[in-house]
């Protein structure tokens, strides 16, 4: 390996480590570092800027600029060349900085006499921590060796920042993982919870970023990579014959594990003075930074593969496995970048809440969280880099807000909110066994949604009259292979047994879109929500649907059976599915299996097209359930996974209510039972409006039944109907303001 010149990174890192030895306070460390870097690289200026908050950089140390500017000069991300380095997460190398686009003159620093500028981001695992800058009077472009040396030093600075080496006075030099932090995300499952952080993947800590012996470090790296390759090959051997999709992922892992380019870059980093662990993390940080800028899904997945592989390699090098020996804290709240449904089910009801950096409101994890009634916040950016195991954390699933290490004021306010929710639940318990009968004498049936056996104990305590929607796909999603018919029979039988004679509506397999089975080959569709999903999959693969229908028939054991087909867009789809059910019933009878006492076959109305189906459809279908979540996104052409548009459209929009009213009228003419199922059914104001326009059955999560029932029992639907009609007559876009005003007047 060729020795780098004296200005190379290895020599510079050696000098830095020697200077940092001993008990030195944070500001003094930073001052020494800037002096050493400037001296080693032959530059007049070296400055270190650190983030004081997520939008603001602060000059924390400098060699060459005015010392009075330290802790006084601040700039926003994107402001000036330093701010551009932070925003782009990439190097800026300008020979004549004052003339460069984006330059901002900071008079208090005295930097106007310096021409050349080299800035590199200080980042760790994709998280920007600051910017390292060198400047010189002479106008010149810094060499590739100099740029590389500064990048390697920046990597070490990032690790030292993480380890608390620069703690001092002021926000920019406060100890990491010690200050209160708030994260705004998206509501995945409503509810509020207080507890302590449990990291799904504990952070790997690199305590030795600088290494003396590059030959030994390269040897350690190669041994670890070989161990990694063997592990991937073994996993691939196991998965190859059982799970083709998992095998494809592992093939991508093997490709990266055998990548000569990846290995060469890490060996170069070690040659530059980094330890094997720091070299892996440097490459991982660059991959994560690129991941945040790439919009192509395929490239993001590949970068994610590389990120996961780097984590595995780091755990081999450091010996820090996922099982760190730490005990799960009391009242654990899971914090993770993302998590699969099977892993989440392993935690079960031990969790008080869940916070994810990624995920979506329709993800597998969200479905399981709803089934377990665990508050969930998704899209909580940076939470895994900030949280530590055991940190106090509060999850507001009503607002999509997470408080990490909250101060006393937040704790008091949050606990007051939890107490109010608990008090309200006590009030709802007093009407649990009473019907949802309004002041005008109309009774609305309130049912619960479910998807796991764990949901069923909530049936008697919630006051639900039955299960209005049992999602059968969860049993398929949490497995690595198709469940056997016998397993489904046993499950559906337990569901009916647990219901204790109360009605249960089983929705057949609703997969596709955001619910892709791990053992089914995914389809490369430009818009999966409008693609091959739900009933379309069932009709194209009748063997799967027939197997599920057989399991349902056998599980009924002579009891009433109610089955609903999802995502029916036209009459013929319902007829075809019903014909399949009739054939399955006939086959079961020939086999001597007892048939259900009664069989009701319904459809989920989730597409506007079905609302305009021929009247013959409404006459033939045994019942209809409006699937509000999907119907709303198709009605308004607003993807419910897209935060920019999904909140723009109100359920109580006049046009949407008018459409539902049209469905109610058609069902009334044909005597077809109709219900509304979805998140909006569990929101009291929305539920009240649905009841006012004629819906007499609503299905929701168990915790929503009490609040909905309470409001219905205190309301006159005739008055609400008049409020809605008046708002419509006035040409208002939504009836919500008028209904809210009416409710306030009611006290």
């Amino acid at each position: 390996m060729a020795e780098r010149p004296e200005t190379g990174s290895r020599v510079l890192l050696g000098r830095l480590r020697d200077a940092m030895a001993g008990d030195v306070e944070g500001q003094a460390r930073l001052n020494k570092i800037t002096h050493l870097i400037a001296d080693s690289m032959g530059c007049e200026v070296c400055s270190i800027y650190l983030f004081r908050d997520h939008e603001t950089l602060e000059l924390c140390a400098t060699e060459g600029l005015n010392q009075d500017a330290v802790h006084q000069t601040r700039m926003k991300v994107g402001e000036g060349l330093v701010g551009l380095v932070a925003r782009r997460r990439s190097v800026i190398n300008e020979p004549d900085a004052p003339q460069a686009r984006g330059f901002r003159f900071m008079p208090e620093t005295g930097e106007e006499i310096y021409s050349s500028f080299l800035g590199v981001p200080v980042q760790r695992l994709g998280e920007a921590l600051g910017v390292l800058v060198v400047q010189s009077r002479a106008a010149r472009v810094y060499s590739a060796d100099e740029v590389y040396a500064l990048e390697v030093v920046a990597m070490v600075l990032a690790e030292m920042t993480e380890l608390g080496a620069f703690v001092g006075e002021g926000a920019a030099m406060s100890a990491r993982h010690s200050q209160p932090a708030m994260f705004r995300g998206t509501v995945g499952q409503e509810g509020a919870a207080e507890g302590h952080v449990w990291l799904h993947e504990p952070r790997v800590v690199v305590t030795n970023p600088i290494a003396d012996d590059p030959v030994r470090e390269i040897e350690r790296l190669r041994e670890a990579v070989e161990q990694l390759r063997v592990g991937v090959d073994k996993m691939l051997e196991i998965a190859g014959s059982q799970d083709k999709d998992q095998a494809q992922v592992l093939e991508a892992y093997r490709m990266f594990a055998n990548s000569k380019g990846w290995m060469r870059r890490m060996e170069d980093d070690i040659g530059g003075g980094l330890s094997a662990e720091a070299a892996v993390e440097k490459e991982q940080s660059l991959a994560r930074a690129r991941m945040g800028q790439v919009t192509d899904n395929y490239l993001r997945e590949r970068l994610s593969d590389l990120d996961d592989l780097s984590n595995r390699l780091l755990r081999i090098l450091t010996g820090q496995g996922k099982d760190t020996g730490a005990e799960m804290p009391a009242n654990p709240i899971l914090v993770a970048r993302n998590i699969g449904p099977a892993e989440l089910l392993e935690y079960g009801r031990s969790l008080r809440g869940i916070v994810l950096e990624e995920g979506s409101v329709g993800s597998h994890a969200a479905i399981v969280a709803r089934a377990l009634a665990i508050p969930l916040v998704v899209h909580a950016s940076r939470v895994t880099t900030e949280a530590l195991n055991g940190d106090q954390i509060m999850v507001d699933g009503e607002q999509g807000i997470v408080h990490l290490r909250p101060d006393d004021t937040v704790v008091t306010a949050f606990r007051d909110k939890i107490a109010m929710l608990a008090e309200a639940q006590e009030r709802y318990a007093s009407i649990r066994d009473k019907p949802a009968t309004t002041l005008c004498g109309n009774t609305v049936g309130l049912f619960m949604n479910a998807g796991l056996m764990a949901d069923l104990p909530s049936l008697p305590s919630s006051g639900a009259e039955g299960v209005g929607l049992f999602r059968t796909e969860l049993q398929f999603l949490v497995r690595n292979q198709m469940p056997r018919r016998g397993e489904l029979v046993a499950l559906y039988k337990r569901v009916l047994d647990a219901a204790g004679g109360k009605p249960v509506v089983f929705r057949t397999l609703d997969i596709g879109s955001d619910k892709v089975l791990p053992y089914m080959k995914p389809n490369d569709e430009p818009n999966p929500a409008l693609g091959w999903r739900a009933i379309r999959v069932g009709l194209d693969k009748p063997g799967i649907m027939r197997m599920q229908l057989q399991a349902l028939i056998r599980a009924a054991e002579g009891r009433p059976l109610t089955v609903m087909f999802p995502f029916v867009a036209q009459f013929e789809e319902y007829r075809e599915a019903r014909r399949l059910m009739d054939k399955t019933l006939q086959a079961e009878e020939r086999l001597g299996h007892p048939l259900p006492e009664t069989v009701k076959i319904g459809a989920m109305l989730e597409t506007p097209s079905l609302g305009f189906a021929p009247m013959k459809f409404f006459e033939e279908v045994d019942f209809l359930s409006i699937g509000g979540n999907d119907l709303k996104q198709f009605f308004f052409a607003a993807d419910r996974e897209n935060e920019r548009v999904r909140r723009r459209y109100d359920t109580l929009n006049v046009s949407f209510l008018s459409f539902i009213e049209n469905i109610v009228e058609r069902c009334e003419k044909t005597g077809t039972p109709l219900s509304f199922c979805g998140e909006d059914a569990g929101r009291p104001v929305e539920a009240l409006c649905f009841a006012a326009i004629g819906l007499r059955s609503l299905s929701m999560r168990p915790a929503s039944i009490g609040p909905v029932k309470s409001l219905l029992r205190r309301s006159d639907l005739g008055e609400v109907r008049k409020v809605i009609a008046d708002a419509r007559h006035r040409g208002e876009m939504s009836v919500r303001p008028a209904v809210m005003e009416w409710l306030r007047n009611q006290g």
Side-chain angles (χ1 to χ4, degrees), residues 239-493:
S241 59
Q242 301 177 1
D243 191 330
K244 290 183 180 178
D245 290 333
Q246 187 181 352
Q248 285 180 349
V249 172
L250 291 171
E251 284 285 7
Y253 279 11
R254 184 157 69 177
M255 179 187 72
F256 282 124
N258 289 281
S259 167
K260 292 181 180 178
W262 186 46
M263 196 71 184
R264 185 185 65 252
R265 290 193 300 273
M266 291 189 292
E267 290 184 355
D268 283 348
D269 292 334
I270 291 172
L274 295 181
S275 66
E277 292 89 336
V280 174
E281 200 165 87
K282 179 173 179 287
E283 285 300 306
Q284 188 179 18
S285 291
L286 292 172
R288 281 202 183 176
R290 289 197 296 270
M291 205 185 307
Q293 297 165 0
V294 169
T295 55
D296 181 85
N297 285 336
Y298 178 81
L299 289 178
R300 282 183 64 85
E301 285 175 10
R302 297 291 72 79
L303 287 168
S304 180
D305 290 341
L306 180 57
D307 185 56
D308 185 58
L309 204 65
S310 299
N311 273 334
R312 292 170 186 264
L313 186 55
L314 278 172
R315 294 189 190 285
I316 292 170
L317 282 165
T318 62
Q320 299 172 31
K322 285 190 179 183
D323 184 4
T324 61
E327 270 191 50
M328 185 180 284
N331 301 328
I333 289 179
L334 186 76
V335 174
R337 290 183 67 200
N338 214 336
I339 188 170
E343 293 173 301
L344 188 50
L345 279 171
E346 285 179 15
Y347 286 105
R349 292 186 183 274
S350 64
L351 300 176
R352 297 295 299 273
I354 306 166
V355 181
L356 301 178
E357 281 195 6
E358 300 173 2
S360 66
V361 295
S363 67
H364 302 165
I367 293 167
V368 173
R370 289 188 200 112
L372 296 173
I374 299 173
L376 166 68
V377 172
V378 297
H379 302 150
S381 178
R382 309 179 341 275
V383 68
T384 59
T385 58
E386 184 60 44
L388 294 177
N389 270 340
D391 279 346
Q392 185 181 15
I393 186 170
M394 293 176 156
V395 180
D396 186 343
E398 312 290 327
Q399 303 294 324
I401 294 174
V402 177
H403 298 282
L404 184 65
R405 299 181 292 268
D407 59 31
D408 291 344
T409 306
V410 172
V411 170
T412 300
F414 195 86
R415 287 178 178 167
D416 286 346
K417 178 174 184 173
I418 290 178
M420 288 175 64
L421 290 172
E423 185 181 332
Q425 287 299 330
E426 287 180 16
R427 289 200 309 273
Y428 303 144
S430 67
I431 60 171
R432 182 184 61 200
D433 299 322
K434 295 180 180 179
T437 302
T438 62
L439 295 178
C440 54
N442 289 290
T443 299
V444 180
L446 302 183
F447 297 80
M448 63 174 269
N449 299 330
L452 296 168
M453 275 303 301
D455 292 319
L456 273 300
S458 302
L459 185 53
S461 60
S462 67
E465 296 173 37
V467 179
L469 168 66
F470 189 89
R471 305 180 184 92
T472 61
E473 60 272 8
L474 288 182
Q475 310 311 317
F476 289 76
L477 288 169
V478 298
R479 296 168 178 260
N480 290 322
Q481 59 186 17
M482 182 79 71
R484 297 179 182 277
R485 182 176 56 199
E487 294 171 330
L488 294 179
V489 171
L491 170 69
Y492 301 152
K493 182 180 179 300

Side-chain angles (χ1 to χ4, degrees), residues 146-161:
E146 289 171 315
V147 172
Y148 180 82
L150 206 62
E151 285 183 314
V152 172
V153 171
M155 173 68 202
V156 173
L157 288 181
E159 292 300 333
M160 293 174 73
T161 303

